[in-house]
Amino acid sequence: MTRRATIKDVAVAAGVSRSTASRALTGRGYVATDVRERVLAAAENLRYVPDATARYLKQQVSLSLGVLVSDLRNSFYARLAAGVGQAARTQGYSLVLAEDGGSAEAQVEAAETFVATRVAGVVVTPVSADVTTYLSRHRIPVIEVDRQFAAGACDAVVVDNQTASQQVIEDLIGLGHRRIALFIDETTWTTGRERHAGYQAALAAAGIPLDPDLVVSSGWDVDAARSAATALLRSDERPTAVFAANNVLAEGVWRAANDLGLRIPDDVSLVSFDDAPWMSLVTPGLTAVAQDEAALGAAAVRRLLERIAEPQAAPVTVMMSTRIVHRESTRAVRP
């Protein structure tokens, strides 16, 4: 096995001292231009890579960030993680990426790894307060993104779920819909609770009684949502419109409608919270509440670096905007 080049090897190859090579590579301190170029050329020829562990031990400064998301197969989390990565790289940080599958226990296990690898801070989509509590106990700065479990005790970057959901239902009511179903995975996390609240508020404002049978707890994956949607949409009193509280549930409802031979939007209108890539590719295109996942990730990194710089500052919650992307999956109720 070829030995990995060290900074000493670079110094020898460039004909300079180790301290000069270090200054040239880090950009800290004066080095003549021709000497800097000679050192950089030697480092490139030797394929020199700085030792992050050694740098941490010497400077006690980590240049890696932990990122913990629920499911990288879901485009929302994948694009969020990409946004974190892009923002982190521009600030000179690398990523330690982990996935927890929606498990609070798996989140704490990932947090233990982050502590062991001495990351500078963590961006997490939490499923309980446990992960934030654990990281805070070990003095690792943490930013909750998308969901909040430690409001007032931890920084967060979220969207206004309630207002966005209320606007969707108001739009459907404006099209004449009164039997509007809500497909939702949970109402205990801030995301589900706020989206459910927006649904209720819009119905109440329009004087439409809440029908518990139209609030469908439809599981955590496409197949579960598809099964629940099939049962509802084949009934004699099926809804004229469905609001799916996330992109996974929307896919399940879409598939169920196709299974039953129902036409969207002629037979049932459909709107999603979260705008997944497939929604603009199908016919008709699916109307959706769009979050800028990359912007969420970038905002989380900015907030995290501010927290690292000012660890004693009061916690801040950053509220990001959403927008409704209107496509062709809704229509007015036929008289």
Side-chain angles (χ1 to χ4, degrees), residues 82-153:
V84 173
Q86 290 163 5
R89 282 194 298 275
T90 63
Q91 299 299 319
Y93 285 83
S94 60
L95 293 191
V96 179
L97 178 62
E99 179 186 53
D100 56 63
S103 163
E105 182 180 355
Q107 285 206 326
V108 173
E109 290 174 356
E112 291 172 349
T113 300
F114 291 150
V115 171
T117 53
R118 296 169 170 158
V119 297
V122 174
V123 173
V124 60
T125 57
V127 297
S128 78
D130 294 348
V131 64
T132 302
T133 300
Y134 180 87
L135 289 167
S136 297
R137 192 165 65 241
H138 287 273
R139 299 182 180 179
I140 302 290
V142 57
I143 307 295
E144 294 184 321
V145 63
D146 183 45
R147 300 183 285 260
Q148 259 186 305
F149 283 89

Side-chain angles (χ1 to χ4, degrees), residues 73-84:
R73 295 170 300 176
N74 184 323
S75 62
F76 172 83
Y77 297 111
R79 293 193 288 191
L80 174 65
V84 173

Side-chain angles (χ1 to χ4, degrees), residues 17-30:
S17 69
R18 183 169 175 170
S19 60
T20 299
S22 177
R23 291 198 304 274
L25 292 169
T26 62
R28 298 189 184 98
Y30 173 76

Side-chain angles (χ1 to χ4, degrees), residues 9-250:
D9 297 327
V10 174
V12 170
V16 298
S17 69
R18 183 169 175 170
S19 60
T20 299
S22 177
R23 291 198 304 274
L25 292 169
T26 62
R28 298 189 184 98
Y30 173 76
V31 178
T33 301
D34 62 324
V35 174
R36 185 186 304 279
E37 291 175 352
R38 198 162 71 242
V39 170
L40 293 176
E44 184 176 355
N45 290 336
L46 293 170
R47 297 184 180 179
Y48 169 73
V49 177
D51 188 328
T53 302
R55 179 172 55 193
Y56 174 84
L57 292 172
K58 181 177 180 181
Q59 301 177 358
Q60 291 293 292
V61 175
S62 172
L63 289 179
S64 62
L65 302 178
V67 183
L68 178 55
V69 296
S70 296
D71 184 359
L72 286 168
R73 295 170 300 176
N74 184 323
S75 62
F76 172 83
Y77 297 111
R79 293 193 288 191
L80 174 65
V84 173
Q86 290 163 5
R89 282 194 298 275
T90 63
Q91 299 299 319
Y93 285 83
S94 60
L95 293 191
V96 179
L97 178 62
E99 179 186 53
D100 56 63
S103 163
E105 182 180 355
Q107 285 206 326
V108 173
E109 290 174 356
E112 291 172 349
T113 300
F114 291 150
V115 171
T117 53
R118 296 169 170 158
V119 297
V122 174
V123 173
V124 60
T125 57
V127 297
S128 78
D130 294 348
V131 64
T132 302
T133 300
Y134 180 87
L135 289 167
S136 297
R137 192 165 65 241
H138 287 273
R139 299 182 180 179
I140 302 290
V142 57
I143 307 295
E144 294 184 321
V145 63
D146 183 45
R147 300 183 285 260
Q148 259 186 305
F149 283 89
C154 172
D155 296 306
V157 178
V158 296
V159 300
D160 189 348
N161 292 286
Q162 181 167 339
T163 298
S165 294
Q166 187 167 344
Q167 182 62 60
V168 166
I169 304 305
E170 288 173 352
D171 287 353
L172 290 171
I173 292 171
L175 291 171
H177 295 279
R178 293 182 66 83
R179 287 187 56 76
I180 304 169
L182 172 66
F183 272 67
I184 197 159
D185 48 9
E186 50 74 32
T187 55
T188 55
W189 298 351
T190 50
T191 42
R193 185 166 66 245
E194 292 167 2
R195 293 171 195 180
H196 183 248
Y199 169 81
Q200 290 180 304
L203 293 180
I208 300 174
L210 178 66
D211 183 347
D213 291 337
L214 292 179
V215 179
V216 182
S217 180
S218 42
W220 299 91
D221 57 37
V222 171
D223 290 339
R226 186 178 192 171
S227 177
T230 298
L232 182 67
L233 294 178
R234 67 157 44 117
S235 66
D236 293 335
E237 304 220 348
R238 70 169 180 255
T240 60
V242 174
F243 176 41
N246 64 47
N247 62 325
V248 172
L249 303 183

